[in-house]
Amino acid sequence: MVKCAMAIRYKPIERDQLMLVPYDLTEWIPEDDIVHFVISAAETVRIETFAVNERGTGSEQYHPHLMLALLLYCYTQGIFSSRKIERATYKDIAIRYLCGNQHPDHDTICDFRVRNERAISEAFLSILKLAKECGILKVSTPTRFCRF
């Protein structure tokens, strides 16, 4: 009895294939992902206290709601470095969605943090309170301490 060897079939890898219709990034992010809450919460913050370029000179600036949401979401993901946040705007689907496929550079991110430290702190506090009210954030006091 002769066994016929079957050809192994693989799906083709077509990295250079152009997309006729671009992907909708919302389809790649689960409905319960925290990025949706972060975007909504950041948009509730009043932006009057944020420092912006009032003169309107230079390049268009990123909206304070976008920058605030970017920082808050990255912090929830353990990303704190401005350079790593910039890199994440290219690599992380949720961050790319949050930024609307824009990519603030690390200098812009750092400058926003420095110029708006107080406004960001106040916004974070109000967003944390909102998250607690919504049941997203659970705050508790440890009842037992471990000694090492």
Side-chain angles (χ1 to χ4, degrees), residues 33-35 38-39 42 65-99 102 104 109 113 124:
D33 193 293
I34 194 166
V35 74
V38 169
I39 292 169
H65 285 154
L66 180 144
M67 297 300 289
L68 179 64
L70 175 62
L71 289 176
L72 179 60
Y73 183 76
C74 286
Y75 293 170
T76 67
Q77 303 304 302
I79 306 169
F80 301 98
S81 158
S82 297
R83 290 179 190 274
K84 289 182 180 177
I85 292 172
E86 177 187 0
R87 197 172 311 119
T89 66
Y90 291 95
K91 292 184 169 199
D92 185 294
I93 298 296
I95 295 173
R96 199 169 191 138
Y97 166 71
L98 181 151
C99 290
Q102 299 178 75
I109 295 165
R113 270 199 278 221
F124 278 12

